[in-house]
Amino acid sequence: MMTKEKLDRINYLANKSKTKTLTSKEKEEQQMLRKEYLQNIRQSFTNQLTTMTVLDPEGNDVTPEKVKKLRKNNKKL
């Protein structure tokens, strides 16, 4: 999970890039923070998928096989 300070820094750099030119060091930092942010979002989404169960109107488990495999692989880790 990203800290508030990192999120604030992402927003600061984004706003600064709209009004001014970022230095090369700031651009590198921005790319690194964006990459970390996207990794967190993807991991969060994967966690949500692996905990879901899909039921049809009759109450039968119709969870896609891909989700079941993800769940099984996560238990091994």
Side-chain angles (χ1 to χ4, degrees):
M1 188 165 174
M2 299 265 320
T3 63
K4 181 169 177 8
E5 292 80 21
K6 285 186 178 181
L7 290 173
D8 289 342
R9 184 66 179 165
I10 290 172
N11 290 326
Y12 170 77
L13 291 171
N15 289 331
K16 183 177 178 183
S17 70
K18 291 177 186 176
T19 58
K20 301 176 185 175
T21 304
L22 295 176
T23 66
S24 61
K25 192 172 185 177
E26 287 174 327
K27 286 180 184 179
E28 286 179 31
E29 179 185 11
Q30 184 181 40
Q31 290 299 336
M32 182 190 68
L33 289 169
R34 284 180 176 173
K35 185 177 180 180
E36 183 180 345
Y37 177 77
L38 287 174
Q39 286 174 339
N40 284 323
I41 294 295
R42 288 181 182 119
Q43 184 61 45
S44 176
F45 186 72
T46 301
N47 289 341
Q48 288 178 353
L49 280 178
T50 58
T51 60
M52 77 171 199
T53 301
V54 181
L55 302 175
D56 67 7
E58 297 166 1
N60 300 317
D61 183 2
V62 291
T63 305
E65 287 301 316
K66 191 171 185 177
V67 173
K68 290 179 181 179
K69 286 180 184 178
L70 271 174
R71 188 179 304 147
K72 189 176 182 180
N73 288 340
N74 281 347
K75 285 184 181 179
K76 290 180 182 178
L77 299 176

Coordinates of all heavy atoms in Angstrom, one line a residue:
M1 N 0.8 -1.2 0.0 CA 0.0 0.0 0.0 C 0.9 1.2 0.0 O 1.9 1.3 0.7 CB -0.9 0.0 1.2 CG -1.9 1.0 1.3 SD -3.1 0.6 2.5 CE -4.1 2.0 2.5
M2 N 0.5 2.2 -0.8 CA 1.3 3.5 -0.9 C 1.0 4.3 0.4 O -0.2 4.4 0.8 CB 0.9 4.2 -2.1 CG 1.1 3.5 -3.4 SD 2.6 3.8 -4.3 CE 3.0 5.5 -4.2
T3 N 2.0 5.0 0.8 CA 1.8 5.9 1.9 C 1.2 7.2 1.4 O 1.3 7.5 0.2 CB 3.2 6.2 2.6 OG1 4.0 6.9 1.7 CG2 3.8 5.0 3.1
K4 N 0.7 8.0 2.3 CA 0.1 9.3 1.9 C 1.2 10.2 1.4 O 0.9 11.0 0.4 CB -0.6 9.9 3.1 CG -1.3 11.2 2.8 CD -2.2 11.7 3.9 CE -2.8 13.1 3.7 NZ -2.6 13.7 2.4
E5 N 2.3 10.1 2.0 CA 3.4 11.0 1.5 C 3.8 10.7 0.0 O 4.0 11.6 -0.7 CB 4.7 10.8 2.4 CG 4.5 11.3 3.8 CD 3.8 10.4 4.7 OE1 3.7 9.2 4.4 OE2 3.2 10.9 5.7
K6 N 3.8 9.4 -0.3 CA 4.1 9.1 -1.7 C 3.0 9.5 -2.7 O 3.3 10.0 -3.8 CB 4.4 7.6 -1.8 CG 5.7 7.1 -1.3 CD 5.9 5.6 -1.6 CE 7.3 5.2 -1.0 NZ 7.5 3.8 -1.3
L7 N 1.8 9.3 -2.2 CA 0.7 9.8 -3.1 C 0.7 11.3 -3.2 O 0.5 11.8 -4.3 CB -0.7 9.4 -2.5 CG -1.0 7.9 -2.5 CD1 -2.2 7.5 -1.8 CD2 -1.1 7.4 -4.0
D8 N 1.0 12.0 -2.2 CA 1.1 13.5 -2.2 C 2.3 13.9 -3.2 O 2.1 14.8 -3.9 CB 1.4 14.1 -0.9 CG 0.2 14.0 0.0 OD1 -1.0 13.8 -0.5 OD2 0.3 14.1 1.3
R9 N 3.4 13.1 -3.1 CA 4.5 13.4 -4.0 C 4.1 13.2 -5.5 O 4.5 14.0 -6.4 CB 5.7 12.6 -3.6 CG 7.0 12.9 -4.4 CD 7.5 14.3 -4.1 NE 8.7 14.5 -4.8 CZ 9.3 15.6 -5.0 NH1 8.7 16.7 -4.5 NH2 10.4 15.7 -5.7
I10 N 3.4 12.1 -5.7 CA 2.9 11.8 -7.1 C 2.1 13.0 -7.6 O 2.3 13.5 -8.7 CB 2.1 10.5 -7.2 CG1 3.0 9.3 -7.0 CG2 1.4 10.4 -8.5 CD1 2.3 8.0 -6.8
N11 N 1.2 13.4 -6.8 CA 0.3 14.5 -7.2 C 1.1 15.8 -7.4 O 0.8 16.6 -8.3 CB -0.8 14.7 -6.2 CG -1.8 13.6 -6.2 OD1 -2.1 13.0 -7.3 ND2 -2.4 13.2 -5.1
Y12 N 2.0 16.1 -6.5 CA 2.9 17.3 -6.6 C 3.6 17.3 -7.9 O 3.6 18.3 -8.6 CB 3.8 17.4 -5.4 CG 4.9 18.5 -5.6 CD1 4.5 19.8 -5.4 CD2 6.2 18.2 -6.0 CE1 5.5 20.8 -5.6 CE2 7.1 19.1 -6.2 CZ 6.8 20.5 -6.0 OH 7.7 21.5 -6.2
L13 N 4.3 16.2 -8.2 CA 5.0 16.1 -9.5 C 4.1 16.2 -10.7 O 4.5 16.8 -11.7 CB 5.8 14.8 -9.5 CG 7.0 14.7 -8.5 CD1 7.6 13.3 -8.5 CD2 8.1 15.8 -8.8
A14 N 2.9 15.6 -10.6 CA 2.0 15.7 -11.8 C 1.6 17.2 -12.0 O 1.6 17.7 -13.1 CB 0.8 14.9 -11.5
N15 N 1.3 17.9 -10.9 CA 0.8 19.3 -11.0 C 2.0 20.2 -11.5 O 1.8 21.1 -12.3 CB 0.3 19.8 -9.7 CG -1.1 19.2 -9.3 OD1 -1.8 18.8 -10.2 ND2 -1.3 19.0 -8.1
K16 N 3.2 19.9 -11.0 CA 4.3 20.7 -11.4 C 4.7 20.5 -12.8 O 5.0 21.4 -13.5 CB 5.6 20.3 -10.5 CG 6.8 21.1 -10.8 CD 8.0 20.8 -9.9 CE 9.2 21.7 -10.3 NZ 10.4 21.3 -9.6
S17 N 4.5 19.2 -13.3 CA 4.8 19.0 -14.7 C 3.8 19.7 -15.7 O 4.1 20.0 -16.8 CB 4.8 17.5 -15.0 OG 3.5 17.0 -14.9
K18 N 2.6 20.0 -15.2 CA 1.6 20.8 -16.0 C 2.0 22.2 -16.1 O 1.6 22.9 -17.1 CB 0.2 20.6 -15.4 CG -0.3 19.2 -15.5 CD -1.6 19.1 -14.8 CE -2.1 17.6 -14.8 NZ -3.4 17.5 -14.1
T19 N 2.7 22.8 -15.1 CA 2.9 24.2 -15.1 C 4.4 24.5 -15.4 O 4.7 25.6 -15.9 CB 2.6 24.8 -13.7 OG1 3.3 24.1 -12.7 CG2 1.1 24.7 -13.4
K20 N 5.3 23.6 -15.0 CA 6.7 23.8 -15.2 C 7.4 22.6 -15.8 O 6.7 21.5 -15.9 CB 7.4 24.1 -13.9 CG 6.9 25.4 -13.2 CD 7.6 25.5 -11.8 CE 6.9 26.7 -11.0 NZ 7.5 26.8 -9.7
T21 N 8.6 22.7 -16.1 CA 9.4 21.5 -16.6 C 10.0 20.8 -15.4 O 10.7 21.4 -14.6 CB 10.5 21.9 -17.6 OG1 9.8 22.7 -18.7 CG2 11.2 20.7 -18.2
L22 N 9.9 19.5 -15.4 CA 10.5 18.7 -14.3 C 12.0 18.5 -14.7 O 12.3 18.3 -15.8 CB 9.8 17.3 -14.2 CG 8.4 17.3 -13.7 CD1 7.8 15.9 -13.7 CD2 8.2 17.9 -12.4
T23 N 12.8 18.4 -13.6 CA 14.2 18.1 -13.9 C 14.3 16.6 -14.2 O 13.3 15.8 -14.0 CB 15.0 18.3 -12.6 OG1 14.6 17.5 -11.6 CG2 14.9 19.8 -12.2
S24 N 15.4 16.1 -14.7 CA 15.6 14.7 -15.0 C 15.4 13.8 -13.8 O 14.9 12.7 -13.9 CB 16.9 14.5 -15.7 OG 18.0 14.8 -14.9
K25 N 15.9 14.3 -12.7 CA 15.8 13.6 -11.4 C 14.3 13.5 -11.0 O 13.9 12.4 -10.6 CB 16.6 14.3 -10.3 CG 16.8 13.4 -9.1 CD 17.8 14.1 -8.1 CE 18.1 13.2 -7.0 NZ 19.0 13.7 -6.0
E26 N 13.6 14.5 -11.2 CA 12.2 14.5 -10.8 C 11.4 13.6 -11.8 O 10.5 12.9 -11.3 CB 11.6 15.9 -10.9 CG 12.0 16.8 -9.7 CD 11.6 18.2 -9.8 OE1 11.4 18.7 -11.0 OE2 11.3 18.9 -8.8
K27 N 11.8 13.6 -13.0 CA 11.1 12.7 -14.0 C 11.3 11.2 -13.6 O 10.4 10.4 -13.7 CB 11.6 13.0 -15.4 CG 11.1 14.3 -16.0 CD 11.6 14.5 -17.4 CE 11.1 15.8 -17.9 NZ 11.6 16.1 -19.3
E28 N 12.6 10.9 -13.3 CA 12.9 9.6 -12.8 C 12.1 9.2 -11.6 O 11.5 8.1 -11.5 CB 14.4 9.4 -12.5 CG 15.3 9.4 -13.7 CD 16.7 9.3 -13.3 OE1 17.0 8.7 -12.3 OE2 17.6 9.8 -14.1
E29 N 12.0 10.1 -10.6 CA 11.2 9.8 -9.4 C 9.8 9.6 -9.8 O 9.1 8.7 -9.2 CB 11.4 11.0 -8.4 CG 10.6 10.8 -7.2 CD 10.7 12.0 -6.2 OE1 11.1 13.1 -6.7 OE2 10.2 11.9 -5.1
Q30 N 9.2 10.5 -10.6 CA 7.8 10.4 -11.0 C 7.6 9.0 -11.7 O 6.6 8.3 -11.3 CB 7.5 11.5 -12.0 CG 6.0 11.5 -12.4 CD 5.7 12.6 -13.4 OE1 6.5 12.9 -14.3 NE2 4.6 13.3 -13.2
Q31 N 8.4 8.5 -12.6 CA 8.2 7.2 -13.2 C 8.3 6.1 -12.2 O 7.5 5.2 -12.3 CB 9.3 7.0 -14.3 CG 9.1 7.9 -15.5 CD 7.8 7.7 -16.2 OE1 7.2 6.6 -16.1 NE2 7.3 8.7 -16.9
M32 N 9.2 6.2 -11.3 CA 9.4 5.2 -10.2 C 8.1 5.1 -9.4 O 7.6 4.0 -9.1 CB 10.6 5.5 -9.4 CG 10.9 4.4 -8.3 SD 12.1 4.9 -7.1 CE 11.3 6.3 -6.3
L33 N 7.6 6.3 -9.0 CA 6.4 6.3 -8.1 C 5.2 5.8 -8.9 O 4.4 5.1 -8.3 CB 6.2 7.8 -7.6 CG 7.2 8.3 -6.6 CD1 7.0 9.8 -6.3 CD2 7.0 7.5 -5.3
R34 N 5.1 6.2 -10.1 CA 4.0 5.7 -11.0 C 4.0 4.2 -11.1 O 3.0 3.5 -11.0 CB 4.0 6.3 -12.3 CG 3.5 7.8 -12.4 CD 3.6 8.3 -13.8 NE 3.0 9.7 -13.8 CZ 3.1 10.4 -14.9 NH1 3.7 10.0 -16.0 NH2 2.5 11.6 -14.9
K35 N 5.2 3.7 -11.3 CA 5.3 2.2 -11.4 C 4.9 1.5 -10.2 O 4.2 0.5 -10.2 CB 6.8 1.9 -11.8 CG 7.0 0.4 -12.1 CD 8.5 0.2 -12.5 CE 8.7 -1.3 -12.7 NZ 10.1 -1.6 -13.1
E36 N 5.4 2.0 -9.0 CA 5.0 1.5 -7.7 C 3.5 1.6 -7.5 O 2.8 0.6 -7.0 CB 5.7 2.2 -6.6 CG 5.5 1.6 -5.2 CD 6.2 2.3 -4.1 OE1 7.1 3.1 -4.4 OE2 5.8 2.1 -3.0
Y37 N 2.9 2.7 -7.9 CA 1.5 2.9 -7.7 C 0.7 1.9 -8.6 O -0.3 1.2 -8.1 CB 1.1 4.3 -8.1 CG -0.4 4.6 -8.1 CD1 -1.0 4.9 -6.9 CD2 -1.2 4.6 -9.2 CE1 -2.4 5.1 -6.8 CE2 -2.5 4.9 -9.2 CZ -3.1 5.1 -8.0 OH -4.5 5.4 -7.9
L38 N 1.1 1.7 -9.8 CA 0.4 0.7 -10.7 C 0.5 -0.7 -10.2 O -0.4 -1.5 -10.2 CB 0.9 0.8 -12.1 CG 0.4 2.1 -12.9 CD1 1.1 2.2 -14.2 CD2 -1.1 2.1 -13.0
Q39 N 1.7 -1.0 -9.6 CA 1.9 -2.4 -9.1 C 0.9 -2.6 -7.9 O 0.3 -3.7 -7.8 CB 3.3 -2.6 -8.6 CG 4.3 -2.8 -9.7 CD 5.8 -2.8 -9.2 OE1 6.1 -2.3 -8.1 NE2 6.7 -3.4 -10.0
N40 N 0.8 -1.6 -7.1 CA -0.2 -1.7 -5.9 C -1.6 -1.8 -6.4 O -2.4 -2.7 -5.8 CB -0.1 -0.5 -5.0 CG 1.2 -0.5 -4.2 OD1 1.6 -1.5 -3.7 ND2 1.8 0.6 -4.0
I41 N -2.0 -1.1 -7.4 CA -3.3 -1.2 -8.0 C -3.6 -2.6 -8.5 O -4.6 -3.2 -8.3 CB -3.6 -0.1 -9.1 CG1 -3.5 1.3 -8.5 CG2 -4.9 -0.4 -9.8 CD1 -4.6 1.6 -7.5
R42 N -2.6 -3.1 -9.3 CA -2.8 -4.4 -9.9 C -2.9 -5.5 -8.8 O -3.6 -6.4 -8.9 CB -1.6 -4.7 -10.9 CG -1.7 -3.9 -12.1 CD -0.6 -4.2 -13.1 NE -0.7 -3.3 -14.3 CZ 0.2 -2.4 -14.7 NH1 1.3 -2.3 -14.0 NH2 0.0 -1.7 -15.8
Q43 N -2.0 -5.4 -7.8 CA -2.0 -6.4 -6.7 C -3.4 -6.4 -6.0 O -3.9 -7.4 -5.7 CB -0.9 -6.2 -5.8 CG -0.8 -7.2 -4.7 CD -0.6 -8.6 -5.2 OE1 0.3 -8.8 -6.1 NE2 -1.3 -9.6 -4.7
S44 N -3.9 -5.2 -5.7 CA -5.2 -5.0 -5.1 C -6.3 -5.7 -5.9 O -7.1 -6.4 -5.3 CB -5.5 -3.5 -4.8 OG -6.7 -3.4 -4.3
F45 N -6.3 -5.4 -7.2 CA -7.3 -6.0 -8.1 C -7.2 -7.5 -8.1 O -8.2 -8.2 -8.0 CB -7.1 -5.4 -9.5 CG -8.2 -5.8 -10.4 CD1 -9.5 -5.3 -10.2 CD2 -8.0 -6.7 -11.4 CE1 -10.5 -5.7 -11.1 CE2 -9.0 -7.1 -12.3 CZ -10.3 -6.6 -12.1
T46 N -6.0 -8.0 -8.2 CA -5.8 -9.5 -8.2 C -6.3 -10.1 -6.9 O -7.0 -11.1 -6.9 CB -4.3 -9.8 -8.4 OG1 -3.9 -9.3 -9.6 CG2 -4.1 -11.3 -8.4
N47 N -6.0 -9.4 -5.7 CA -6.5 -9.9 -4.4 C -8.0 -9.9 -4.4 O -8.6 -10.9 -3.9 CB -6.0 -9.1 -3.3 CG -4.5 -9.3 -3.1 OD1 -3.9 -10.2 -3.5 ND2 -3.9 -8.3 -2.4
Q48 N -8.7 -8.9 -5.0 CA -10.1 -8.9 -5.0 C -10.7 -10.0 -5.9 O -11.6 -10.7 -5.5 CB -10.6 -7.6 -5.6 CG -10.5 -6.4 -4.6 CD -10.9 -5.1 -5.2 OE1 -11.2 -5.0 -6.4 NE2 -10.9 -4.1 -4.4
L49 N -10.0 -10.3 -7.0 CA -10.5 -11.4 -7.9 C -10.3 -12.7 -7.2 O -11.2 -13.6 -7.4 CB -9.7 -11.4 -9.2 CG -10.1 -10.4 -10.2 CD1 -9.2 -10.5 -11.4 CD2 -11.5 -10.6 -10.7
T50 N -9.3 -12.9 -6.5 CA -9.0 -14.3 -5.9 C -10.0 -14.5 -4.8 O -10.1 -15.7 -4.4 CB -7.6 -14.4 -5.5 OG1 -7.2 -13.4 -4.6 CG2 -6.6 -14.4 -6.7
T51 N -10.6 -13.5 -4.2 CA -11.5 -13.8 -3.1 C -12.9 -13.8 -3.5 O -13.8 -14.1 -2.6 CB -11.3 -12.7 -2.0 OG1 -11.6 -11.4 -2.5 CG2 -9.9 -12.7 -1.4
M52 N -13.2 -13.6 -4.8 CA -14.6 -13.5 -5.2 C -15.1 -14.9 -5.6 O -14.3 -15.8 -6.0 CB -14.8 -12.6 -6.4 CG -14.4 -13.1 -7.7 SD -14.9 -12.0 -9.0 CE -14.8 -13.1 -10.4
T53 N -16.4 -15.1 -5.4 CA -17.1 -16.3 -5.8 C -18.3 -15.9 -6.6 O -19.1 -15.0 -6.2 CB -17.5 -17.2 -4.6 OG1 -16.4 -17.5 -3.9 CG2 -18.2 -18.4 -5.1
V54 N -18.5 -16.4 -7.8 CA -19.6 -16.1 -8.7 C -20.7 -17.2 -8.5 O -20.4 -18.4 -8.7 CB -19.2 -15.9 -10.1 CG1 -20.3 -15.5 -11.0 CG2 -18.0 -14.9 -10.3
L55 N -21.9 -16.8 -8.2 CA -23.0 -17.7 -8.1 C -24.1 -17.4 -9.1 O -24.3 -16.2 -9.4 CB -23.6 -17.6 -6.7 CG -22.7 -17.9 -5.5 CD1 -23.4 -17.6 -4.2 CD2 -22.1 -19.3 -5.6
D56 N -24.7 -18.4 -9.7 CA -25.8 -18.2 -10.6 C -27.0 -18.0 -9.8 O -27.0 -18.1 -8.6 CB -25.9 -19.3 -11.6 CG -26.3 -20.7 -11.0 OD1 -26.6 -20.7 -9.8 OD2 -26.2 -21.7 -11.8
P57 N -28.1 -17.6 -10.5 CA -29.4 -17.4 -9.7 C -29.9 -18.6 -8.8 O -30.6 -18.4 -7.9 CB -30.4 -17.1 -10.8 CG -29.6 -16.6 -12.0 CD -28.3 -17.3 -11.9
E58 N -29.4 -19.8 -9.2 CA -29.8 -20.9 -8.4 C -28.9 -21.3 -7.3 O -29.1 -22.2 -6.5 CB -29.9 -22.1 -9.4 CG -31.0 -22.0 -10.4 CD -30.9 -23.0 -11.5 OE1 -30.0 -23.8 -11.5 OE2 -31.7 -22.8 -12.5
G59 N -27.8 -20.5 -7.1 CA -26.9 -20.6 -6.0 C -25.7 -21.5 -6.3 O -24.9 -21.9 -5.4
N60 N -25.5 -21.9 -7.6 CA -24.4 -22.8 -8.0 C -23.2 -22.0 -8.2 O -23.2 -20.9 -8.8 CB -24.8 -23.6 -9.3 CG -26.0 -24.5 -9.1 OD1 -26.1 -25.1 -8.1 ND2 -26.9 -24.4 -10.1
D61 N -22.0 -22.5 -7.8 CA -20.8 -21.8 -8.0 C -20.4 -21.9 -9.5 O -20.1 -23.0 -10.0 CB -19.7 -22.5 -7.1 CG -18.3 -21.8 -7.2 OD1 -18.2 -20.7 -7.9 OD2 -17.4 -22.2 -6.6
V62 N -20.3 -20.7 -10.1 CA -19.9 -20.6 -11.5 C -18.7 -19.7 -11.7 O -18.5 -19.1 -12.7 CB -21.1 -20.2 -12.4 CG1 -22.2 -21.2 -12.5 CG2 -21.6 -18.8 -11.9
T63 N -17.9 -19.7 -10.7 CA -16.6 -18.9 -10.7 C -15.8 -19.4 -11.9 O -15.6 -20.6 -12.1 CB -15.8 -19.1 -9.4 OG1 -16.7 -18.7 -8.3 CG2 -14.6 -18.2 -9.4
P64 N -15.3 -18.4 -12.7 CA -14.4 -18.8 -13.9 C -13.2 -19.6 -13.4 O -12.6 -19.4 -12.4 CB -14.0 -17.5 -14.5 CG -15.1 -16.5 -14.0 CD -15.5 -17.0 -12.7
E65 N -12.8 -20.6 -14.3 CA -11.7 -21.4 -13.9 C -10.4 -20.6 -13.8 O -9.5 -20.9 -12.9 CB -11.4 -22.5 -15.1 CG -12.5 -23.6 -15.0 CD -12.5 -24.3 -13.7 OE1 -11.4 -24.7 -13.2 OE2 -13.6 -24.6 -13.2
K66 N -10.3 -19.5 -14.5 CA -9.1 -18.7 -14.4 C -9.0 -18.1 -13.0 O -7.9 -18.0 -12.4 CB -9.1 -17.6 -15.4 CG -7.8 -16.8 -15.6 CD -7.9 -15.9 -16.8 CE -6.6 -15.2 -17.0 NZ -6.6 -14.3 -18.2
V67 N -10.1 -17.7 -12.4 CA -10.1 -17.2 -11.0 C -9.8 -18.3 -10.0 O -9.0 -18.1 -9.1 CB -11.4 -16.5 -10.7 CG1 -11.5 -16.1 -9.3 CG2 -11.7 -15.3 -11.6
K68 N -10.3 -19.4 -10.3 CA -10.0 -20.6 -9.4 C -8.5 -20.9 -9.4 O -7.9 -21.2 -8.4 CB -10.9 -21.8 -9.8 CG -12.3 -21.6 -9.5 CD -13.1 -22.9 -9.9 CE -14.6 -22.7 -9.6 NZ -15.4 -23.9 -10.0
K69 N -7.9 -20.9 -10.6 CA -6.5 -21.2 -10.7 C -5.7 -20.1 -10.0 O -4.7 -20.4 -9.3 CB -6.1 -21.2 -12.2 CG -6.5 -22.5 -12.8 CD -6.1 -22.5 -14.3 CE -6.6 -23.7 -15.0 NZ -6.3 -23.8 -16.4
L70 N -6.1 -18.8 -10.1 CA -5.4 -17.7 -9.4 C -5.4 -18.0 -7.9 O -4.4 -17.8 -7.2 CB -6.0 -16.4 -9.7 CG -5.5 -15.6 -10.9 CD1 -6.4 -14.4 -11.1 CD2 -4.1 -15.2 -10.7
R71 N -6.6 -18.3 -7.4 CA -6.8 -18.6 -6.0 C -5.9 -19.7 -5.5 O -5.3 -19.6 -4.5 CB -8.3 -18.9 -5.7 CG -8.6 -19.0 -4.3 CD -10.1 -19.3 -4.1 NE -11.0 -18.3 -4.8 CZ -12.1 -18.6 -5.3 NH1 -12.6 -19.8 -5.3 NH2 -12.8 -17.7 -5.9
K72 N -5.9 -20.8 -6.3 CA -5.1 -22.0 -6.0 C -3.6 -21.6 -6.0 O -2.8 -22.0 -5.1 CB -5.3 -23.1 -7.0 CG -4.7 -24.4 -6.6 CD -5.2 -25.5 -7.6 CE -4.6 -26.8 -7.3 NZ -5.0 -27.8 -8.2
N73 N -3.1 -20.8 -7.0 CA -1.7 -20.4 -7.0 C -1.3 -19.5 -5.9 O -0.2 -19.6 -5.4 CB -1.4 -19.7 -8.4 CG -1.4 -20.7 -9.5 OD1 -1.3 -21.9 -9.3 ND2 -1.6 -20.2 -10.7
N74 N -2.2 -18.6 -5.5 CA -1.9 -17.7 -4.3 C -1.8 -18.5 -3.0 O -1.1 -18.1 -2.1 CB -3.0 -16.7 -4.2 CG -2.8 -15.5 -5.2 OD1 -1.7 -15.5 -5.9 ND2 -3.7 -14.7 -5.4
K75 N -2.5 -19.6 -2.9 CA -2.4 -20.4 -1.6 C -1.1 -21.1 -1.6 O -0.6 -21.3 -0.5 CB -3.6 -21.4 -1.6 CG -4.9 -20.8 -1.3 CD -5.9 -21.9 -1.1 CE -7.3 -21.3 -0.8 NZ -8.4 -22.3 -0.7
K76 N -0.5 -21.4 -2.7 CA 0.8 -22.0 -2.7 C 1.9 -21.1 -2.3 O 2.9 -21.5 -1.8 CB 1.1 -22.6 -4.1 CG 0.3 -23.8 -4.5 CD 0.7 -24.2 -5.9 CE -0.2 -25.4 -6.3 NZ 0.1 -25.8 -7.7
L77 N 1.7 -19.8 -2.6 CA 2.7 -18.8 -2.2 C 2.7 -18.6 -0.8 O 3.4 -18.5 0.1 CB 2.5 -17.5 -2.9 CG 2.5 -17.6 -4.5 CD1 2.1 -16.2 -5.0 CD2 3.9 -17.9 -5.0

